[in-house]
Amino acid sequence: MSVAVSDTASVRFPTGWCATDLGRFRPCDSTYEVYPLDSLPPLDAVGLDGGFGWLGGGSTGPSEHVAHLAALERELAAVGLALPSDFAAFYGSERLCHAFDEVSVTACWTDLSAALRSPAEEGARLVRFMRDQQDCVIWYLYLRPSGEAFVVCSHLELESAEAWSAGERADEFREAAAGSLIRCAGSFEEFAYRFVVENELWMQLNSAGTEGQLAPRLQAYADHYAAAVA
């Protein structure tokens, strides 16, 4: 996909959910595959409200990220942007902020960045929040001046790309970086729910003696795929 950097009004990112297999329910030819968003279980009944109640909610104890978040908020405010409340609540809570690291079956880990300039749209920023252990996939919060906030993934480390894009082939590199972005969730909590549930489901499906003993939210997720192949 080629994205014209100057044409910010028409930028539409390709969509997809980049993840690993779900056992017999969803195959994967490699470590990761990009699945169509319309093939995923709907989350209408989950009741995502930014409070992460499905994870037990946040805690009053501050996380190790609070200073970073404060600096990030100041940086974003200077360009008229702000972190969405679900992202700030998740990484500001000691109880919630380790959830991805604890469940990831592909050894993904939390790695918050500063505000990175979007290679696709003037005025937009990205915040890296998680990366695969080998940087096969890196996930970013994408912030638009309109207030829209969603999650994208890329195979590129865009923090390094900012430095590289100042070279002789800056336009060519920025176009490649913009074309690498895949929109994978409409909100941060939506991403968090799918990531946690899918990794928990993978672990259950690959653990001995758990057949037929899935937790309700995992069973509901699995039922969607079972129905699709029935």
Side-chain angles (χ1 to χ4, degrees):
M1 174 185 175
S2 176
V3 179
V5 175
S6 61
D7 189 8
T8 60
S10 64
V11 171
R12 296 184 63 184
F13 298 115
T15 62
W17 180 251
C18 187
T20 193
D21 72 279
L22 288 177
R24 65 185 182 278
F25 295 111
R26 190 180 71 194
C28 183
D29 291 334
S30 186
T31 304
Y32 296 102
E33 191 166 321
V34 178
Y35 302 93
L37 291 185
D38 60 10
S39 72
L40 303 179
L43 301 183
D44 300 340
V46 174
L48 304 180
D49 60 5
F52 297 91
W54 52 276
L55 266 180
S59 66
T60 55
S63 76
E64 65 264 38
H65 302 298
V66 290
H68 183 95
L69 291 173
L72 188 55
E73 289 278 23
R74 292 192 296 270
E75 187 179 3
L76 291 170
V79 292
L81 299 173
L83 291 175
S85 58
D86 55 357
F87 187 91
F90 184 89
Y91 282 111
S93 166
E94 180 63 23
R95 180 177 183 179
L96 297 176
C97 71
H98 302 291
F100 298 158
D101 308 66
E102 291 169 350
V103 301
S104 177
V105 298
T106 53
C108 294
W109 55 287
T110 295
D111 186 28
L112 297 181
S113 73
L116 311 174
R117 293 179 182 274
S118 168
E121 299 175 284
E122 293 297 330
R125 296 291 187 272
L126 298 97
V127 178
R128 184 190 63 238
F129 62 89
M130 185 173 65
R131 62 203 308 162
D132 167 78
Q133 63 171 334
Q134 296 180 319
D135 283 356
C136 297
V137 189
I138 303 173
W139 289 268
Y140 302 86
L141 179 70
Y142 195 100
L143 304 170
R144 281 179 164 153
S146 64
E148 186 181 13
F150 51 95
V151 175
V152 298
C153 63
S154 172
H155 65 281
L156 294 178
E157 168 48 273
L158 298 179
E159 189 165 20
S160 300
E162 281 201 346
W164 297 338
S165 64
E168 295 180 0
R169 301 171 64 183
D171 291 343
E172 179 182 339
F173 189 87
R174 289 186 68 197
E175 184 173 356
S180 76
L181 300 176
I182 299 173
R183 180 170 176 152
C184 53
S187 72
F188 177 76
E189 190 178 16
E190 177 188 329
F191 172 86
Y193 185 88
R194 290 200 188 280
F195 186 87
V196 170
V197 168
E198 288 203 0
N199 280 271
E200 287 180 341
L201 180 56
W202 189 98
M203 286 188 282
Q204 288 289 300
L205 294 174
N206 288 276
S207 298
T210 59
E211 188 70 25
Q213 298 180 25
L214 295 176
R217 71 183 182 196
L218 305 188
Q219 189 64 60
Y221 213 87
D223 286 348
H224 168 84
Y225 287 103
V229 299

